[in-house]
Amino acid sequence: MEFLAGGQQLLAAGQPPSGGSVPAFLTKLWTLVEDPETDPLICWSPSGASFHVFDQGRFSKEVLPKFFKHNNMASFIRQLNMYGFRKVVHIEQGGLVKPERDDTEFQHSFFIRGHEELLEKIKRKVTNVPAVRQEETKFTGEEINKILTDVQLMKGKQESIDFRIVAMKHENEALWREVALLRQKHTQQTLRRTLRRTLSRTLRRTLRRTLSGTLSGTLRRTPSGTPSGTLSGTPSRTLSRTLSRTPVEPSVEPSGEPQ
């Protein structure tokens, strides 16, 4: 096997020519697989219906630059996919058993050892972009104007919804402020009522104690002829109510004369 000065390998006898209807990538791929010197890194499978790539690191560094303008294994695999090659996955390569070596197998129904004439049937995948563009050109001016009008209406509705959302947000904030004020007023009113009740109870107790003390002092100053037993046995609450109903006359100190 010989190489040109630029590193490009000459095709041996029996290999497909680089010209014609066979793409250059397929021609170079066929040469790689057929060359016995590259068998340690790329070769046919025993059945001849697929080929193996061993040690992708070495293959991308030592083989790819001699036939392609790059040494990127991912680009090489992407080109294989574009021409319909599929990766063959065995059970041991599916995750059940770890393979002993770096071995990747590719297959195509028209890439078969000894049948280089089938290479012409391998076609590159073509997307349907032109068909999509033709469908797009079928829109009339009226339809386009209708679409634009609908878009403007949707935009206006969206702006109206946004405005309503902002207004509802402000209303919600105002309601929360009113609730806070009402809670504050309710708390103040509750405190006032509690203070009034406390003051009222305190005043009542103070008045009762004052009246009881005044009554006790009056009884102590009453002469011995007065039936004090009746008054002394009266409970303080009854005396307080009695004093509150009957005016108390001022007491006179005894002068030695009978009153």
Side-chain angles (χ1 to χ4, degrees), residues 82-97:
M82 290 175 61
Y83 283 97
F85 285 83
R86 295 186 178 182
K87 188 176 180 180
V88 180
V89 180
H90 299 283
I91 296 178
E92 61 271 13
Q93 294 178 343
L96 298 179
V97 180

Side-chain angles (χ1 to χ4, degrees), residues 18-247:
S18 59
S21 59
V22 179
F25 173 77
L26 296 177
T27 302
K28 295 177 181 180
L29 178 63
W30 182 273
T31 303
L32 282 173
V33 180
E34 282 284 310
D35 187 3
E37 295 181 2
T38 59
D39 283 353
L41 297 176
I42 182 170
C43 66
W44 289 106
S45 64
S47 64
S50 60
F51 66 92
H52 294 262
V53 176
F54 306 106
D55 195 347
Q56 295 185 14
R58 285 186 56 197
F59 177 77
S60 60
K61 292 179 181 179
E62 299 177 11
V63 178
L64 286 181
K66 296 179 179 179
F67 294 87
F68 302 96
K69 297 180 180 180
H70 62 84
N71 59 351
N72 193 332
M73 187 65 189
S75 298
F76 177 74
I77 295 176
R78 186 162 52 250
Q79 286 182 306
L80 289 174
N81 294 331
M82 290 175 61
Y83 283 97
F85 285 83
R86 295 186 178 182
K87 188 176 180 180
V88 180
V89 180
H90 299 283
I91 296 178
E92 61 271 13
Q93 294 178 343
L96 298 179
V97 180
K98 185 177 180 180
E100 297 180 357
R101 58 183 300 189
D102 185 359
D103 180 7
T104 308
E105 184 178 359
F106 298 94
Q107 178 268 338
H108 193 287
S109 56
F110 294 135
F111 195 84
I112 302 174
R113 181 175 55 192
H115 294 278
E116 59 270 16
E117 72 278 0
L118 297 177
L119 294 178
E120 296 181 356
K121 296 183 178 182
I122 300 177
K123 304 298 181 181
R124 185 172 179 175
K125 294 180 180 180
V126 181
T127 59
N128 295 326
V129 175
V132 174
R133 291 178 179 176
Q134 290 178 2
E135 292 294 332
E136 292 177 352
T137 57
K138 291 182 180 180
F139 288 105
T140 62
E142 183 178 354
E143 292 176 343
I144 293 175
N145 291 333
K146 186 177 182 301
I147 293 173
L148 293 176
T149 303
D150 293 340
V151 171
Q152 292 295 330
L153 290 175
M154 293 176 63
K155 184 178 180 180
K157 291 181 179 179
Q158 182 65 35
E159 292 177 352
S160 177
I161 293 173
D162 293 340
F163 178 78
R164 291 180 181 179
I165 291 174
V166 173
M168 291 174 64
K169 182 178 180 181
H170 292 327
E171 292 177 359
N172 189 29
E173 292 175 354
L175 288 174
W176 277 110
R177 286 194 295 268
E178 292 181 3
V179 169
L181 290 174
L182 289 175
R183 287 179 178 176
Q184 185 177 1
K185 291 180 179 180
H186 177 72
T187 303
Q188 292 176 354
Q189 291 176 357
T190 303
L191 288 174
R192 289 174 182 173
R193 285 195 295 267
T194 303
L195 288 174
R196 288 175 182 173
R197 291 174 183 174
T198 304
L199 290 174
S200 178
R201 291 175 182 174
T202 304
L203 289 173
R204 287 173 187 163
R205 291 175 183 174
T206 303
L207 287 174
R208 286 176 183 173
R209 291 175 182 175
T210 303
L211 290 174
S212 298
T214 303
L215 181 59
S216 298
T218 304
L219 292 175
R220 283 195 298 269
R221 291 193 298 271
T222 302
S224 58
T226 304
S228 59
T230 304
L231 295 176
S232 61
T234 305
S236 62
R237 293 183 180 178
T238 304
L239 293 174
S240 299
R241 288 196 295 268
T242 303
L243 291 173
S244 63
R245 295 174 183 175
T246 305

